[in-house]
Amino acid sequence: MIKAGILGGGQLGRMLLQAAANYPVETFILENDSACPSAHLCHHFTKGDITNFEDVYNFGKGLDVVTIEIEHVNEDALQKLENEGVIIFPNVAALKIIKSKILQKEFYKAIEVPSGEFVVTNSKTDLHQHTNFLPAVHKIAKGGYDGKGVELMHTCADFEKGFDAPAVLEKMVDIKKELSMIIAVSQTGEIVLYEPVDMVVDQRLNLLSYQICPAVIPENIMWKAEAVALKVVKEFKSAGIFAVELFTDQQDNIYVNETAPRVHNSGHHSIEACYSSQFDMLWRVMLGYPLGNTDHILPAAIVNLVGEENHTGEAEYTGLKEVLAMDNVFVHIYGKKMTKPGRKMGHVTILSNEPQELLHKANQIKQLLKVVTK
Ligand code: ADP
């Protein structure tokens, strides 16, 4: 049986393990928190630090394939493992580019896909040389996640909020839509695309509020988005699953924001909404099976379930029974013991042929279902 390792045991690892249950594969998780959402679902749990060379190398050395649920992993250990024949998804060359927002932006420029104009800054004081970039977005090169590591800058006074570390300063795009394209690449180079997802961002938390798939966009924008995302993924020259996040502006220009080389929040609807989910698809890629069918069974919306403001402690879910009683609604609770404001604790998928029903139920669920403390 193929031995497959996942670096990180959060919700993405958990959903990958749920999909792995359909396949002949022995699963291994490396994660520091032994109470993490994945611990009891894998065959073998190793407590360890995914950013530590020894921990990652020792974890991976007996395995056939290794994937990640987060980019912040020790790339040197993965490089050594890759050199020794372990297949890493994504490959380490692609991971190295994606891990740094500077290298990522330079990559998009080099392959000539549209992405916001940017300059590299190394310290907060550098920002003052780039007042012509305002309004802008400052993004830390390494370690950002879920909007942490991103600061919006409207005036020079905002430079104070800037990062005193390598970062990119990007011209602000007047965003009309945030789209995500999930794309899978097999080990033999076969490629399949999921339909575009429309991500509606909560401006306050800088976190996905809800998403709709397929995105309601004109066909010509959809073709453009697909072509751009496909080019990005082809140029990474790696098997795996990728989420290419794109913006459109008020003139319907397309920009690549960033790429995640892994299963992604914007693809969670695919568990119920598509014939082959993003999690199923990654196993097909890693185990060398034919790729699955990305078509939708029904259009979907997703609501992320995040920890309420002012609630830090052991999690409790209010409104769960009411939401579980709704038709064509699927609740995923990730099994994290502790909640804190903005923490991703679960998601809910809604299926319907009626766009109005998707939105109505999404709003209803946001009102009903809350993560609070006991
Ligand atoms: P993260 O990797 O932490 O998710 P992103 O680069 O995706 O960070 O940025 C988080 C959010 O900030 C985006 O979803 C978008 O709403 C906003 N944002 C990022 N870049 C720009 C930009 N160039 N112009 C306008 N808004 C942006």
Side-chain angles (χ1 to χ4, degrees), residues 38-39 49 53-54 75 81 86 105 136 144 169 177 187 196 221 229 240 278 280 308 330 335 355 361 363 370:
S38 300
D49 180 356
F53 182 93
E54 297 297 327
E75 65 198 42
L81 290 167
V86 181
K105 290 290 288 184
L169 184 70
K177 291 244 181 229
Q187 294 184 48
I221 310 287
Q278 61 169 347
D280 176 69
E308 281 292 299
F330 304 88
K361 280 189 175 158
N363 285 320
K370 306 272 184 200

Side-chain angles (χ1 to χ4, degrees), residues 101 137 139 145-148 150 170-173 175 178 201 206 245 247 257-258:
K101 289 217 169 167
V137 184
K139 300 181 179 182
Y145 192 67
D146 277 349
K148 296 174 193 77
V150 174
E170 213 178 281
K171 280 197 175 163
M172 197 175 284
V173 174
I175 296 175
E178 295 201 28
V201 171
N206 223 348
E245 293 182 34
F247 301 138
N257 178 29
E258 60 174 356

